Amino acid sequence: MGGRGKSRTQRKHFRQSRENEWKRSKPDPSSQDPDSTTDNPNSTWTPFATQNSTFDEYYKEQGIVPPEEWDAFVAVLRTPLPASFRINACSQFSADLRSQLEKDFVQTLQAEVVEGDEAEAIKPLPWYPENLAWHSNFSRMQLRKNQALERFHEFLKLENEIGNITRQEAVSMVPPLFLNVQPNHFVLDMCAAPGSKTFQLLEIIHQSTKTSSLPDGMVIANDLDVQRCNLLIHQTKRMCTANLIVTNHEAQNFPGCRLVRNHELLELEQHIGQLLFDCILCDVPCSGDGTLRKAPDLWRKWNTGMGNGLHSLQVLIAMRGLSLLKVGGRMVYSTCSMNPIENEAVVAEVLRRCEGSVELVDVSNERPQLLRRPGLKRWKVRDKGLWLASYKDVPMHRRSAVLPSMFPSGKKYEDLVDSNHKAVMENDIDKGVCVSSEDGNRAAENPVTYKFIEEVSDLPLEHCMRIVPHDQNTGAFFIAVLQKVSPLPEKRKNGIDKQHGEPENQDIEDSKELQVDSLENTREEALEAVNVINNRHNTEDLEASPSGACLEGDSEEVHKPLETESIVKMTPGKRKLQIQGKWRGVDPVFFFRDEVTINSIKDFYGIDQRFPFNGHLVTRNKDRGHVKRIYYVSKSVKDVLELNFSVGQQLKIASLGLKMFERQTSREGSSAPCAFRISSEGLPLILPYITKRILCASPGDFKHLLQYKTIKFADFVDAGFGKKAENLTPGYCVVVLSKGRREASEFIQVDESTIAIGCWKGRASLTVMVTAMDCRELLERLLVRFDTGKGSSVRENMPSSNAFDEIQGPNVIDDSAATGGDDS
């Protein structure tokens, strides 16, 4: 139904850090051989190096794959990553898209596979449900450069921009599948940008819900970086959902919004007393070496300090997530790193801190077609050129940087001395050797020369899963599924309330102090990791961004974890952000309770009383007379907002809800009886409840509206339709595609298959209020659905791709307002 909205996120931020591509930029002439010529058309430059001896030594020693598989492992790592994408299960055209892939592209693209290669050109991922995720045998570079693949490439870009598909790395789709999300669940995505996994979570909670209703659950998507929050908003706006809140917090200090126990509102059964979640996705910042196939520049930057420097932060984020998780809930911890210091070591430390209140779930029987390796139970730490098998091996001057939690046992120095002494005595007694307590003292005095037993974790870390590239031609990923079986221990650990086992505001301050201490100890490694991460912005496949900006591979797995929280700056020439909420630089949220405006909207469009309005409308502007956009939120989001107000607005909200109504700003629009029109994003939700200002057009007239944008009343093929449109009062109206030759305009039956667009009824014509991109996509869908190969097909007279941007008439109203958080 209708078009989807676009946002005005600042595109310049998305064009930065484009270094991580297989094609290098042209070299600086000053760095060339003096005998060479910069204008030589035959001159070439070398691609990224895909060799790193430190990387090879490290992962061979860790046993990340068996020795006999090493060559196959690195051979795949040194090849570009194939493109993959996921069909939006909630899209009105999901079945059409899947059918087009199965019946069209599967056959037509096979001819482009390299001769002798038996691989299929494109195929559904066997482990993803309902053939909704697809893997291609072509890299992004091939899709861009091979003219024979142009039609498929255009298909991917268009459908991604509209929101019908999401271009996403295959292994990045895995973590949400193990959360077992249900439509009524409250879900937290702790480190969400750029939003592909968030989009996937929203699909899951919406999938079993009808278009005209909303699920009981919701998703909160959080990210530390303001600019990446913009990208996150950009991605998720394509979903057109009222069940989402985007927040801007450090993940390790995410607010618990815990209401005082004796608060009167707690007596209300429907009120939320604390923000706890059924499912949490903890996809933490990491070194990202699982994305080497997409970000080959990492080969030269990779070093062991990257993973060591992020370990403490990863533990803090995971612990904070578990403190926000309901008892019985699931949390998935994941990284796009292969490093056990960032993976198994973090999971082991979390399990030790939780003391049995959290279990590592064995999911080896779930998704059996997904090839994965069990987690490691033994590993070593590499620091400053030394291999360390135990914390006892760590030189004294490095014990503030290399932590006990990095090792399989997680034991401190004193504990290791005692356990090693006992093991040595038992071993020597078995051999008939006389031993004394001096052995233990000798170990403590000279740990470098004293041999210690290699550490092996006693935790069930084999229940973790590691996905390696050469198993299914993917990137690498690590996933652990954790279930909370009882409240966390009654002591403060990283934001856990001592009395209730849940988050408390004071505990957040304690968590901050702990974070500063642990990160200061690993300052050198942490800063090195941050420098690499800040230069990498290229692991998520977003080649065609929703705004049209070129986002080829913006990172999903890598964030900027150690930067101080940035504040949006006011740009000269732009309107000033409101500084009246708790959070500087972010527009506050207000419930919209202007009954006069609400009643005028209801009366103008004849909105049925069954549609819930009270308490579901919000704005970002306190001045009712100057509100430009009104957003609609689900009951779950409404409850969270009320809780947030009750606790002093602890949540820093960057965006929320679904843009439902927009104020008419044009000169002609100001004369309309109703000051607000229905937004394209909100139309599918409210359409079943509209009883006025709705017209039913024949396929021919509907097609012409999409093609030419503005049509005079007398020029419609169906004269009756043109007359009905002319008789409407000026303002916004809805045009629905007829399902048959004739349909009574007095009563139009709307269901999930109804296709509708918003239009503006002017003095002499009807103008489409949908973007050119949306018009093009609708025409393509109609072509696939209704084309019979005859002269009356939709393809006739359909403008080319370039022509769509030129056809737009002089009076077209482009329904492409900004995202939430920028109202004025």
Side-chain angles (χ1 to χ4, degrees):
M1 300 177 188
R4 288 76 165 175
K6 304 292 181 286
S7 62
R8 296 181 302 194
T9 310
Q10 299 178 28
R11 300 180 183 181
K12 62 181 180 181
H13 303 312
F14 304 153
R15 294 197 176 104
Q16 297 172 354
S17 304
R18 296 295 306 283
E19 194 175 5
N20 297 322
E21 295 183 19
W22 281 92
K23 181 180 178 181
R24 269 194 186 277
S25 300
K26 196 169 184 178
D28 185 354
S30 62
S31 65
Q32 291 185 335
D33 190 316
D35 295 331
S36 67
T37 57
T38 58
D39 57 350
N40 181 4
N42 296 321
S43 63
T44 59
W45 53 91
T46 58
F48 285 111
T50 56
Q51 301 284 342
N52 188 317
S53 58
T54 305
F55 175 91
D56 293 349
E57 178 193 3
Y58 184 78
Y59 280 120
K60 281 182 179 179
E61 183 68 23
Q62 299 288 21
I64 202 77
V65 295
E68 62 272 16
E69 294 184 32
W70 178 260
D71 291 341
F73 167 68
V74 293
V76 173
L77 267 183
R78 290 168 181 153
T79 61
L81 184 71
S84 55
F85 57 93
R86 192 185 70 255
I87 300 173
N88 179 0
C90 302
S91 169
Q92 184 179 13
F93 301 109
S94 59
D96 295 342
L97 290 166
R98 184 169 51 195
S99 177
Q100 185 176 2
L101 288 166
E102 294 170 344
K103 298 178 181 178
D104 179 0
F105 286 116
V106 166
Q107 285 79 25
T108 58
L109 293 176
Q110 194 60 39
E112 301 306 318
V113 177
V114 178
E115 187 175 352
D117 189 350
E118 298 181 359
E120 299 173 80
I122 61 169
K123 62 179 180 180
L125 291 169
W127 43 266
Y128 202 93
E130 301 180 27
N131 283 2
L132 289 172
W134 288 71
H135 167 97
S136 82
N137 200 38
F138 310 106
S139 68
R140 292 179 301 151
M141 180 69 73
Q142 288 175 302
L143 288 174
R144 291 196 300 268
K145 299 298 182 182
N146 189 338
Q147 291 186 350
L149 301 175
E150 182 178 3
R151 188 170 74 92
F152 182 56
H153 190 212
E154 288 297 318
F155 165 83
L156 293 178
K157 289 196 297 183
L158 173 62
E159 302 301 340
N160 181 79
E161 179 139 0
I162 296 300
N164 286 335
I165 69 168
T166 297
R167 303 185 68 178
Q168 183 180 5
E169 186 173 344
V171 288
S172 173
M173 305 176 194
V174 176
L177 297 180
F178 286 95
L179 274 174
N180 290 346
V181 175
Q182 302 299 318
N184 64 328
H185 279 172
F186 277 47
V187 184
L188 173 63
D189 191 349
M190 299 188 74
C191 307
S196 295
K197 293 188 185 72
T198 304
F199 200 103
Q200 193 175 352
L201 293 169
L202 288 167
E203 286 180 38
I204 296 172
I205 68 169
H206 277 278
Q207 195 167 356
S208 59
T209 308
K210 293 183 178 180
T211 306
S212 58
S213 59
L214 296 174
D216 294 328
M218 65 161 298
V219 175
I220 292 183
N222 176 73
D223 202 85
L224 162 66
D225 188 82
V226 172
Q227 293 177 5
R228 290 175 61 75
C229 273
N230 287 338
L231 177 57
L232 171 59
I233 294 167
H234 217 54
Q235 273 280 73
T236 53
K237 282 296 179 184
R238 302 175 306 142
M239 184 67 189
C240 300
T241 177
N243 297 63
L244 172 69
I245 297 177
V246 176
T247 59
N248 177 212
H249 292 280
E250 293 178 325
Q252 67 272 27
N253 297 317
F254 190 86
C257 297
R258 183 171 173 270
L259 207 57
V260 180
R261 290 292 174 180
N262 59 0
H263 199 288
E264 294 179 359
L265 288 175
L266 284 181
E267 297 177 3
L268 300 176
E269 185 176 341
Q270 71 274 17
H271 190 83
I272 303 174
Q274 184 177 358
L275 190 55
L276 296 176
F277 298 90
D278 301 278
C279 303
I280 294 179
L281 179 59
C282 186
D283 188 51
V284 297
C286 67
S287 60
D289 55 25
T291 67
L292 282 166
R293 300 184 68 184
K294 180 175 287 186
D297 192 47
L298 260 178
W299 279 105
R300 68 178 177 84
K301 296 180 179 179
W302 189 92
N303 61 75
T304 56
M306 294 165 59
N308 292 351
L310 290 169
H311 170 84
S312 295
L313 177 65
Q314 291 162 341
V315 172
L316 287 169
I317 293 175
M319 286 302 300
R320 186 57 181 165
L322 290 170
S323 70
L324 295 166
L325 187 66
K326 293 178 182 178
V327 173
R330 266 193 182 190
M331 184 179 89
V332 166
Y333 174 87
S334 64
T335 75
C336 58
S337 168
M338 296 177 281
N339 194 340
I341 309 303
E342 303 177 74
N343 297 327
E344 284 91 346
V346 173
V347 173
E349 177 64 11
V350 165
L351 291 174
R352 285 190 291 267
R353 291 192 185 190
C354 292
E355 300 178 4
S357 61
V358 172
E359 293 181 350
L360 185 58
V361 182
D362 181 6
V363 291
S364 57
N365 293 326
E366 297 182 27
R367 312 283 172 188
Q369 291 178 300
L370 174 67
L371 302 183
R372 82 292 296 266
R373 310 290 179 100
L376 304 176
K377 292 182 74 71
R378 64 176 71 202
W379 62 88
K380 299 178 182 179
V381 177
R382 180 79 164 170
D383 179 64
K384 300 297 181 182
L386 295 176
W387 280 108
L388 308 170
S390 167
Y391 189 66
K392 280 290 297 170
D393 297 335
V394 181
M396 188 67 68
H397 70 282
R398 294 297 296 166
R399 286 182 185 169
S400 61
V402 181
L403 308 177
S405 59
M406 294 179 179
F407 295 89
S409 72
K411 293 182 178 178
K412 297 181 180 179
Y413 183 89
E414 298 78 7
D415 297 332
L416 283 166
V417 171
D418 294 340
S419 61
N420 191 78
H421 180 212
K422 180 179 179 181
V424 169
M425 287 197 302
E426 290 176 350
N427 185 49
D428 288 346
I429 290 172
D430 290 341
K431 295 179 180 179
V433 178
C434 182
V435 296
S436 68
S437 60
E438 294 180 358
D439 293 312
N441 295 331
R442 180 158 50 93
E445 292 171 1
N446 194 2
V448 176
T449 58
Y450 194 87
K451 183 175 173 130
F452 281 85
I453 300 171
E454 184 179 2
E455 291 189 15
V456 180
S457 176
D458 57 357
L459 297 167
L461 297 179
E462 67 276 7
H463 293 166
C464 303
M465 68 182 90
R466 178 179 273 101
I467 301 174
V468 291
H470 61 295
D471 278 346
Q472 287 183 306
N473 194 15
T474 63
F477 229 77
F478 175 87
I479 299 160
V481 181
L482 300 162
Q483 184 157 356
K484 191 171 182 178
V485 296
S486 64
L488 296 181
E490 293 184 357
K491 51 188 172 182
R492 299 190 177 197
K493 289 184 178 180
N494 303 348
I496 304 172
D497 180 41
K498 185 175 182 179
Q499 178 179 359
H500 302 287
E502 301 298 354
E504 186 86 71
N505 293 340
Q506 180 58 45
D507 300 312
I508 293 178
E509 298 302 321
D510 296 342
S511 176
K512 288 181 179 179
E513 293 177 7
L514 178 59
Q515 179 195 4
V516 171
D517 292 341
S518 61
L519 292 182
E520 187 64 31
N521 290 336
T522 59
R523 181 175 180 79
E524 182 179 350
E525 290 84 355
L527 289 177
E528 190 171 17
V530 172
N531 289 334
V532 173
I533 288 172
N534 288 350
N535 288 331
R536 286 189 63 243
H537 203 53
N538 210 13
T539 59
E540 186 62 23
D541 198 356
L542 303 174
E543 181 174 342
S545 77
S547 68
C550 188
L551 305 179
E552 303 206 6
D554 290 285
S555 170
E556 170 165 317
E557 279 68 53
V558 179
H559 304 260
K560 300 178 183 177
L562 306 180
E563 285 189 354
T564 56
E565 188 172 312
S566 54
I567 301 297
V568 177
K569 297 180 180 179
M570 289 180 285
T571 307
K574 302 287 185 181
R575 64 168 188 82
K576 293 183 179 180
L577 291 174
Q578 301 178 60
I579 313 297
Q580 56 181 331
K582 176 178 178 178
W583 300 101
R584 182 184 175 191
V586 176
D587 290 339
V589 178
F590 303 97
F591 283 107
F592 187 74
R593 307 187 190 277
D594 185 348
E595 294 298 328
V596 175
T597 300
I598 294 174
N599 288 333
S600 70
I601 292 173
K602 288 181 177 180
D603 294 340
F604 188 69
Y605 298 107
I607 299 175
D608 193 293
Q609 293 298 322
R610 294 173 300 157
F611 188 75
F613 262 101
N614 295 335
H616 290 264
L617 300 180
V618 299
T619 69
R620 308 304 296 263
N621 192 333
K622 188 175 183 179
D623 186 354
R624 297 178 181 178
H626 291 85
V627 167
K628 289 184 179 179
R629 285 170 285 277
I630 302 173
Y631 301 88
Y632 189 86
V633 297
S634 67
K635 182 184 182 303
S636 53
V637 172
K638 170 177 170 287
D639 291 343
V640 170
L641 283 179
E642 290 174 343
L643 172 64
N644 189 44
F645 288 137
S646 300
V647 297
Q649 298 187 52
Q650 294 178 16
L651 291 176
K652 183 179 179 182
I653 297 175
S655 176
L656 80 166
L658 176 66
K659 186 171 63 178
M660 182 64 75
F661 303 110
E662 294 184 275
R663 185 180 293 275
Q664 308 288 359
T665 55
S666 66
R667 183 172 57 183
E668 187 175 2
S670 61
S671 63
C674 181
F676 287 85
R677 67 177 187 266
I678 300 172
S679 169
S680 292
E681 296 100 304
L683 180 58
L685 180 63
I686 202 170
L687 179 60
Y689 303 94
I690 297 175
T691 60
K692 298 178 182 177
R693 305 194 64 80
I694 184 167
L695 302 169
C696 188
S698 66
D701 283 329
F702 197 88
K703 181 187 73 170
H704 290 150
L705 275 170
L706 294 175
Q707 287 178 332
Y708 304 114
K709 308 299 190 298
T710 298
I711 300 180
K712 293 182 178 180
F713 301 128
D715 293 340
F716 283 104
V717 176
D718 184 350
F721 174 82
K723 192 66 175 175
K724 289 184 177 67
E726 186 176 13
N727 290 337
L728 284 177
T729 55
Y732 179 92
C733 64
V734 179
V735 177
V736 174
L737 174 63
S738 173
K739 298 177 182 178
R741 291 182 176 273
R742 295 285 180 183
E743 188 165 349
S745 58
E746 291 77 12
F747 180 77
I748 300 174
Q749 187 68 38
V750 174
D751 56 32
E752 294 180 4
S753 64
T754 301
I755 299 175
I757 55 175
C759 293
W760 182 264
K761 190 272 179 181
R763 288 175 294 179
S765 60
L766 201 61
T767 300
V768 175
M769 299 182 67
V770 178
T771 63
M773 184 65 72
D774 285 312
C775 287
R776 178 186 170 192
E777 191 269 345
L778 272 176
L779 280 170
E780 292 282 358
R781 291 301 106 219
L782 294 177
L783 168 65
V784 172
R785 184 176 289 190
F786 301 119
D787 189 6
T788 60
K790 299 179 181 179
S792 60
S793 70
V794 177
R795 190 182 295 275
E796 284 188 9
N797 301 320
M798 191 174 75
S800 64
S801 173
N802 295 331
F804 270 88
D805 297 329
E806 302 171 0
I807 287 179
Q808 200 159 317
N811 296 320
V812 171
I813 303 173
D814 190 2
D815 189 14
S816 56
T819 61
D822 64 350
D823 202 4
S824 63

